[in-house]
């Protein structure tokens, strides 16, 4: 029973509106005096949050989860609140003398609804008080959507010079393991906190002294069930998607970029080492990493790195050069994110102008300094591809119908004023391809009249250069009337042709390498350092398994005419009509291999 003096004091405080918060129970006086602000702040706020989806987060949770007195100072308290309960939480804080403030320093999309309730929009909230005996409050929000939960946090990044948001999208199971839904009775207060397992997992990986202290305190309370729970949290944590959100001065989202997971960071680092020295095997790369100081530093906080490195080695051990090029393409395409949209647009317009002008007048648009850096990055990308071929002794090929003995001066000479379809410029050069010569290279059947591609499966050749023959076993073959010759070339004198494209789904810029090469010098076929061999090709039957080959039987330019149509469907319909009237030969149909209906361009056969 309260004494007479206490009753009078409480009545006086009630009449004059003074704070009459009851002293928190079961706390030794010495401890209470030392951490008074923290205890009183917890009691004042959480005594009014009954039934609310709000969790106390941070170091204070350690003492609560282990049911012991506070053991270190705290600068503030943090609360993770379900977005639907945010208005009520803010009302509780305002009632107790707190003012809610947006620390981003920009206009926000926060609103006050018709009932006067505060509605937050995608940002951190800070609640401050002028009371010296209370701590400030940081508020974070989360949203539950089906089987996923999205959490929001924000911080000022000096490098960016502005507030940067972080969104984490995680499985709901993970959120439920991270936040303890049990209501804990802590010294007379009813509250919910982060789970001790999640607290330990995050604190034990920390380098700050207070994190180490928190981890050591909570470690004594962990049992086998807790250890299994921590393992499950780590497993699910790998499935969490993290996004970096940038805002403009008006608080509108300017960009939302997915950040790499630890696994993705490890793979990217190993990939970069693998690409840096393309002659090394995955085993050699892995051996170097395991001996490095960087590895010894990281494994302390990420013991799972060993399994990630082993998985990377297993994945890459059978990589061919195409896989390495794909790795390079992803790596350099990611570098494009450092360029502004204006710079990318400038580069795209430059390429479009060259295409419109058929590759002439390369100076018809002024490039800004950033766009020049972009083209330098593209050149670096191409040189990295070239290094793969040179380091691994991989040939590129020049395919022509000119036999070695008929080459003027024994040279593969430059094609004068020839349009390069990928770099959209006209160039005097020798052209080559790095597409494998294994039945999948359509250039093998190409003749001097050209080749027109209409869709993913359809090629039309400018003249009729194919005979259909039959062997002794009755099997039909597609044989070139005039044979082609494959010249296997050292790539040292050649440059890979790279291009910039915009992904139609993500609308993000990406680099592209289309197996095309160009050299501005002639190639001497008698020089064994330049030419590594020549093959004559007559039988192209294997090509039919991968492509539709159509021959312009009367040399009427059917392919060129087909490309003038506004859609592929109409173009293929036109070609089908020309096949019917005999102007175009359908070689696949004549031989009976990979026959497809041209009027159905989306269907594969």
């Amino acid at each position: 029973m309260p004494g007479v003096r206490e009753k009078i004091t409480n009545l006086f405080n009630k009449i004059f509106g003074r704070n009459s918060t009851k002293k928190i129970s079961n706390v030794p006086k010495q401890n209470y005096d030392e951490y008074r602000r923290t205890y009183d702040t917890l009691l004042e706020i959480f005594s009014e949050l009954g039934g609310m989806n709000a969790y106390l987060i941070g170091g204070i949770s350690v003492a609560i989860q282990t049911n012991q007195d506070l053991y270190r100072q705290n600068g503030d308290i943090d609360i993770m609140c379900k977005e639907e309960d945010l208005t009520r939480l803010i009302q509780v804080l305002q009632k107790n003398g707190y003012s809610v403030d947006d620390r981003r320093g920009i206009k926000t999309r926060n609103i006050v609804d018709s009932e006067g309730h505060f509605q937050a929009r995608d940002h951190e909230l800070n609640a401050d008080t002028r009371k010296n005996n209370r701590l400030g409050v940081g508020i974070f929000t989360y949203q539950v959507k089906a089987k996923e939960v999205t959490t929001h946090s924000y911080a000022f990044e000096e490098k960016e010079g502005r507030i940067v948001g972080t969104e984490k999208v995680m499985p709901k199971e993970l959120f439920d393991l991270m936040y303890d839904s049990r209501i804990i009775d802590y010294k007379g207060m009813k509250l919910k906190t982060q789970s001790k397992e999640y607290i330990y997992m995050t604190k034990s990986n920390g380098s700050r002294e207070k994190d180490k202290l928190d981890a050591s305190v909570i470690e004594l309370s962990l049992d086998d069930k807790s250890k299994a729970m921590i393992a499950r949290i780590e497993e699910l944590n790998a499935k969490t998607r993290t996004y970096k959100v940038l805002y403009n001065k008006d608080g509108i989202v300017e960009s939302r970029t997915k950040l790499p997971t630890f696994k993705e960071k490890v793979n990217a680092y190993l990939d970069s080492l693998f690409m840096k020295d393309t002659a090394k095997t995955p085993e050699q790369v892995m051996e170097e990493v395991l001996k490095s100081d960087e590895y010894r530093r990281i494994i302390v906080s990420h013991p799972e790195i060993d399994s990630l490195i082993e998985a990377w080695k297993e994945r890459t051990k059978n990589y061919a050069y195409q896989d390495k090029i794909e790795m390079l393409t992803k790596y350099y395409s990611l570098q494009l994110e450092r360029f502004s949209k204006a710079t990318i647009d400038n580069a795209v317009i430059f390429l479009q102008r060259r295409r419109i002008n058929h590759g002439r007048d390369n100076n018809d648009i002024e490039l800004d300094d950033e766009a020049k850096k972009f083209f330098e990055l593209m050149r670096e990308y191409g040189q990295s591809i070239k290094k793969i071929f040179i380091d691994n002794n991989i040939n590129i090929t020049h395919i022509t119908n000119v036999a070695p003995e008929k080459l003027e001066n024994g040279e593969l000479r430059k094609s004068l004023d020839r349009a390069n379809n990928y770099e959209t410029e006209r160039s005097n050069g020798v052209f080559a391809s790095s597409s494998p010569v294994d039945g999948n290279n359509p250039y093998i059947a190409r003749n001097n009249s050209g080749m027109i591609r209409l869709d993913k499966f359809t090629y039309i050749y400018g003249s009729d250069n194919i005979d259909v023959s039959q062997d002794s076993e009755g099997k039909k073959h597609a044989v070139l009337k005039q044979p082609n010759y494959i010249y296997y070339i050292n790539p040292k004198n050649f440059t890979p042709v790279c291009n910039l494209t915009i992904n139609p789904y993500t609308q993000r810029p990406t680099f592209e390498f289309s197996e095309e090469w160009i050299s501005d010098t002639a190639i001497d076929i008698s020089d064994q350092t330049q030419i590594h061999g020549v093959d004559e090709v007559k039988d192209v039957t294997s090509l039919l398994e991968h492509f539709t080959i159509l021959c312009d039987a009367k040399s009427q330019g059917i392919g060129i005419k087909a490309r003038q149509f506004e859609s592929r469907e109409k173009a293929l319909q036109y070609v089908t009509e020309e096949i019917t009237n005999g102007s175009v030969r359908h070689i696949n149909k004549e031989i009976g291999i990979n026959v497809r209906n041209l009027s159905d361009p989306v269907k594969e056969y």
Side-chain angles (χ1 to χ4, degrees), residues 407-418:
L407 286 176
E408 187 176 342
N409 297 323
E411 292 181 332
L412 294 175
R413 301 179 64 186
K414 295 187 292 183
S415 301
L416 300 181
D417 197 28
R418 174 177 172 178

Side-chain angles (χ1 to χ4, degrees), residues 235-482:
E235 180 184 344
L236 291 170
N237 202 38
K239 299 179 180 181
T240 297
R241 306 187 304 277
T242 304
Y243 298 89
K244 176 181 178 180
V245 184
L246 294 181
Y247 301 84
N248 65 15
K249 61 183 179 62
D250 297 317
I252 305 301
V253 174
E254 195 173 76
S255 66
R256 187 171 181 267
T257 307
K258 184 179 181 298
L259 299 180
T261 63
F262 179 70
K263 177 181 178 180
E264 289 169 338
K265 288 179 180 178
V266 170
N267 285 334
Y269 177 67
L270 294 171
D271 286 349
S272 67
L273 294 179
F274 195 28
M275 292 183 291
K276 186 176 181 180
D277 192 340
T278 57
K280 286 184 178 178
T281 65
E283 288 80 6
Q284 291 172 321
V285 171
M286 179 179 174
E287 185 178 350
E288 282 190 13
V289 169
L290 295 178
K291 293 178 180 178
S292 68
D293 292 337
E294 182 80 359
Y295 167 77
R296 285 191 287 271
R297 181 182 65 81
I298 292 178
I299 195 171
V300 174
S301 56
H302 289 282
E304 72 272 24
I305 193 173
D306 279 343
S307 61
L308 294 177
I309 292 175
E310 184 64 36
W312 177 86
K313 186 191 76 170
E314 188 65 25
R315 172 171 60 86
T316 58
K317 67 180 182 182
N318 295 319
Y319 265 15
Y321 81 87
Q322 295 100 325
D323 299 295
K324 294 182 180 180
I325 290 174
E326 184 178 347
M327 291 166 62
L328 276 174
T329 301
K330 289 180 179 178
Y331 172 78
Y332 278 96
S333 293
L334 283 174
Q335 306 308 306
L336 292 175
E337 293 185 2
R338 73 176 191 239
F339 293 100
S340 67
K341 185 176 185 300
T343 296
I344 297 297
D345 289 344
N346 191 219
V348 169
I349 291 171
F350 175 75
L351 293 173
Q352 289 174 342
R353 291 283 183 89
R354 286 203 307 197
R355 185 178 298 112
I356 292 171
N357 292 321
H358 302 290
R360 300 182 178 89
D361 301 326
N362 286 350
N363 297 320
D364 63 349
I365 182 172
E366 184 177 350
L367 290 176
D368 57 33
D369 291 340
E370 280 295 302
K372 291 176 183 176
K373 292 178 182 178
F374 160 81
F375 281 107
E376 178 59 29
L377 183 67
M378 181 187 285
R379 190 195 71 79
E380 183 183 320
Y381 166 56
Q383 290 302 307
S384 298
I385 291 174
K386 181 174 180 176
K387 190 174 186 297
I388 290 176
F389 281 79
I390 293 175
D391 288 351
N392 294 276
N393 299 314
I394 302 171
N395 292 318
I396 57 178
T397 59
H398 178 83
I399 301 175
T400 177
N401 56 12
V402 182
E405 63 273 12
K406 293 184 179 180
L407 286 176
E408 187 176 342
N409 297 323
E411 292 181 332
L412 294 175
R413 301 179 64 186
K414 295 187 292 183
S415 301
L416 300 181
D417 197 28
R418 174 177 172 178
N420 182 324
N421 292 328
Y422 294 101
E423 222 171 6
T424 62
E425 64 181 62
R426 289 186 180 270
S427 176
N428 299 335
V430 180
F431 288 82
S433 167
S434 54
S435 298
V437 183
D438 57 1
N440 294 327
N441 191 329
Y443 287 95
I444 295 174
R446 181 174 183 164
N447 57 34
N448 58 7
S449 298
M451 176 179 71
I452 306 296
R453 177 172 176 165
L454 290 183
D455 68 0
K456 185 177 180 180
F457 311 101
T458 305
Y459 291 79
I460 294 182
Y461 295 83
S463 62
D464 188 355
N465 187 40
I466 294 179
D467 274 335
V468 175
S469 63
Q470 189 168 313
D471 60 23
S472 58
E473 297 178 355
K475 185 177 180 180
K476 292 183 178 180
H477 293 264
V479 180
L480 298 178
K481 297 176 183 178
Q482 182 181 3

